Amino acid sequence: MNSIRISASLLSADFGRLVEEVQEAENAGCDEIHFDVMDGRFVPNITVGVPVLNAVRSATSLPIDVHMMVAEPMRFSEAFAGAGADIYTVHVEACSDVARTVDAARQAGMRPAVSFKPATPVEDVADLLLLVDRTLVMSVEPGFGGQPFMPEALPRIRTLRAMADDMGRKVEIAVDGGIKANNIAAAVRAGARTLISGSGVFDGTGNVRVAVKALRAAAG
Ligand code: DX5
Ligand code: ZN
C-alpha cells in the first residue's frame, strides 16, 4: 500500500482557538499542517502571516507547509523560515523567477515546492521538476476554503506523475482544495501522496479526530 500524508489546512479552523485546533489536528494523526498565506493581489483574499505562523509553530512539532498565494514570494522567504516554516510552496504564476525563488527558499533552510493554478498547463512546469521534489496541484481556484473539488485536477496529477517518472524524479505530489472522503481515493489513485484538506478536517462538527479517521479510511 502506498502511504499517504494528510495535511490539515488551517483556513477552515477556528482562529479564535487556533493553537487548540493545531494540537487537535496533530493528536488526530495528521502528518502536516498547511498554512495558507494570501495577499489580496495574487488571490482576491487576505489571510495571515508571520506572527500567526509563530503561534502555530509553538503549538506543533509537525512539519508546516506555508502555501504562499502571494506575488513575488521570494521577498518573504527569510521571514517565514525564521518563523518555522518547513516547506515553502510558491506559485509559478506569482514569481518573476521561479528558479531563484526556489533557491532562496532552500538557502533560508526550507524545502521548496511549486504550485500552479487549475488553468496553468502542467506541461509548462516540466522543467521545474528538476528543481524541486514536491509540487502542489490546486484542485480549486486558490483564494478560498470550502470550494468543491475540480475533477479536472485528476488527469493533471496523472500527467505530472508520469512526467516526473519519465525524468526519473522522485517528486512528491500534493493536492489542495475540496479534498473530502468522497474524492480522496481518486486523488490517491491519480498519484497524489499528500492530501491537503481544510473543510474536510475542520468540518464544523468540532471532532477533528473523526474527520481525519474518515479521510484516511476513505483514502484506501
Ligand atoms: C485554497 C487553499 C486551500 C484550502 C483548502 O486557496 O489553498 O489550502 O484552504 O481548503 P478546503 O479543503 O476547504 O478546500
Ligand atoms: Zn493551500
Side-chain angles (χ1 to χ4, degrees):
M1 183 192 113
N2 287 310
S3 64
I4 61 143
R5 297 168 56 76
I6 295 191
S7 180
S9 169
L10 298 180
L11 201 53
S12 292
D14 176 354
F15 275 68
R17 350 179 356 261
L18 190 56
V19 162
E20 290 95 319
E21 296 272 69
V22 170
Q23 287 163 348
E24 277 176 34
E26 179 162 357
N27 293 338
C30 288
D31 301 287
E32 197 173 292
I33 298 294
H34 184 83
F35 188 87
D36 286 307
V37 182
M38 304 185 189
D39 67 351
R41 280 185 78 91
F42 179 67
V43 290
N45 198 5
I46 296 179
T47 55
V48 288
V50 167
V52 180
L53 181 60
N54 277 316
V56 171
R57 178 70 289 167
S58 65
T60 183
S61 54
L62 291 179
I64 303 175
D65 171 23
V66 174
H67 181 190
M68 294 294 286
M69 286 160 279
V70 168
E72 298 299 351
M74 193 167 88
R75 297 176 292 157
F76 304 109
S77 45
E78 294 282 344
F80 280 95
D86 298 286
I87 303 168
Y88 201 59
T89 301
V90 300
H91 272 263
V92 297
E93 308 90 351
C95 303
S96 48
D97 188 334
V98 182
R100 270 187 67 210
T101 307
V102 160
D103 227 44
R106 202 171 270 129
Q107 291 293 324
M110 300 179 288
R111 179 184 178 198
V114 289
S115 182
F116 24 86
K117 292 178 173 184
T120 301
V122 277
E123 292 76 8
D124 287 7
V125 302
D127 289 355
L128 298 174
L129 300 177
L130 296 168
L131 301 181
V132 292
D133 61 9
R134 169 153 156 150
T135 65
L136 186 159
V137 174
M138 290 302 307
S139 40
V140 295
E141 275 305 330
F144 299 90
Q147 302 179 78
F149 178 79
M150 298 168 68
E152 303 90 306
L154 297 172
R156 289 161 59 73
I157 294 169
R158 277 195 292 272
T159 303
L160 207 54
R161 179 72 270 147
M163 288 188 331
D165 289 348
D166 286 350
M167 293 163 82
R169 300 278 301 140
K170 278 193 171 40
V171 174
E172 177 194 353
I173 301 177
V175 61
D176 183 15
I179 292 291
K180 299 275 161 59
N182 66 0
N183 54 35
I184 191 168
V188 172
R189 274 198 305 274
R193 288 295 172 270
T194 297
L195 292 302
I196 299 161
S197 179
S199 50
V201 169
F202 303 105
D203 61 2
T205 64
N207 201 330
V208 172
R209 186 179 291 275
V210 169
V212 172
K213 210 172 157 190
L215 281 173
R216 217 179 270 287

